[in-house]
Amino acid sequence: MDEYEVVALAKRLNITIEDMKTMSFVSLINILLSTVEEKETKATQKDIDAVFG
């Protein structure tokens, strides 16, 4: 991840450049990481039936 990706992600979260200047890089990365939701998705029998019908 480069600095442009970090800024782009922050801007999507409405974090301003001024906000970014006042916080540490670690804090900014922690905020960005907290917005990433990791879900483990497993197919159910219903999902399988819907595909293979």
Side-chain angles (χ1 to χ4, degrees):
M1 177 184 298
D2 66 19
E3 60 270 14
Y4 298 107
E5 289 175 311
V6 171
V7 172
L9 289 170
K11 293 299 286 177
R12 287 184 192 160
L13 295 173
N14 294 321
I15 298 172
T16 66
I17 297 294
E18 287 302 314
D19 292 336
M20 288 183 252
K21 288 180 182 178
T22 62
M23 65 178 72
S24 71
F25 185 73
V26 172
S27 295
L28 178 58
I29 293 299
N30 284 333
I31 291 168
L32 298 177
L33 288 175
S34 71
T35 63
V36 176
E37 192 173 316
E38 292 184 32
K39 291 184 180 178
E40 186 176 321
T41 306
K42 294 183 179 179
T44 63
Q45 187 62 47
K46 184 178 178 181
D47 296 328
I48 295 167
D49 292 343
V51 172
F52 295 106

